Amino acid sequence: MSMPAALDQFYTRKEVLAFPDDGNRYELVHGELLVSPSPRRMHQRVVLNLAMQLREYVRLHRLGEVHVSPADISFGGLEDVLVQPDVFVVGSAYSEAQEWDAVMTLALAAEVSSPSTARFDRFTKRRLYQEMRVPVYWVIDIEKRRAEVWTPYATFPIPQTETLTWRPAGVDVPLVVNVAALFLA
């Protein structure tokens, strides 16, 4: 199957999963196709740095597993949703799940935003994550070297330039991430 000609039609998860592996990232939010190019080096650096910090914390507190994209998250198999958060935490309730469509919710989602993905990350995907009641959603802005913190009921983000703090339910000690350190090699 070749790249779809019209971007204004309604797509299903099944259709998007059949697209060719052409280096683009194809995502779906309520039938709307989101297409972005493969990530750049700085993007991948930030993803790796964040995932490494989250992984140690999640392991220590037995909160589940940390993953990075690609991953086809459809929140329990919704037919009009298929997203690939850059970094995300799947709770321990899903530790035995073999397929991504078994995952009903995420404990945390983070997108590393660049000019080509900013609109999707800040609006389209943010609203989906809020609708799916993801407790914490971070948008890390490469250009501005800052982060935004979103929660399910927030109408505006909380901008962070120094630290990101994650305090999952039932854990006394929060994870504190130095924002500037996310951009270091």
Side-chain angles (χ1 to χ4, degrees):
M1 177 181 264
S2 63
M3 171 65 186
L7 297 178
D8 61 346
Q9 76 178 61
F10 184 91
Y11 288 90
T12 67
R13 181 170 57 96
K14 185 176 179 181
E15 289 172 319
V16 172
L17 288 172
F19 286 172
D21 185 5
D22 62 1
N24 286 316
R25 179 184 287 185
Y26 296 100
E27 298 177 279
L28 187 64
V29 176
H30 297 309
E32 178 185 356
L33 183 64
L34 312 179
V35 182
S36 57
S38 61
R40 300 180 79 182
R41 286 186 70 211
M42 178 58 82
H43 177 280
Q44 296 301 79
R45 177 183 300 155
V46 174
V47 165
L48 182 60
N49 288 340
L50 178 59
M52 288 173 49
Q53 289 189 49
L54 279 167
R55 186 172 187 229
E56 293 308 311
Y57 182 81
V58 167
R59 276 185 172 179
L60 178 67
H61 297 285
R62 296 186 173 125
L63 297 171
E65 296 179 343
V66 175
H67 295 279
V68 297
S69 279
D72 297 321
I73 303 297
S74 60
F75 297 98
L78 294 174
E79 286 304 312
D80 63 348
V81 171
L82 187 73
V83 290
Q84 297 188 30
D86 289 320
V87 181
F88 58 99
V89 177
V90 175
S92 55
Y94 302 106
S95 62
E96 300 299 317
Q98 297 296 311
E99 301 297 330
W100 292 118
D101 60 4
V103 175
M104 302 292 286
T105 189
L106 304 174
L108 178 142
E111 297 286 359
V112 179
S113 188
S114 62
S116 65
T117 65
R119 182 186 167 282
F120 300 153
D121 295 337
R122 286 197 172 94
F123 297 99
T124 311
K125 291 171 78 175
R126 184 257 308 167
R127 291 180 67 193
L128 174 71
Y129 294 140
Q130 287 179 310
E131 180 184 333
M132 295 297 127
R133 301 293 186 255
V134 175
V136 177
Y137 173 49
W138 293 338
V139 178
I140 300 167
D141 188 321
I142 291 176
E143 300 291 311
K144 295 180 182 174
R145 300 217 173 202
R146 70 176 198 174
E148 297 174 358
V149 177
W150 290 91
T151 57
Y153 300 103
T155 53
F156 293 98
I158 300 170
Q160 299 293 327
T161 57
E162 295 182 21
T163 60
L164 284 169
T165 303
W166 181 40
R167 186 184 303 268
V171 179
D172 294 333
V173 179
L175 170 68
V176 179
V177 175
N178 181 311
V179 173
L182 293 174
F183 300 95
L184 299 177

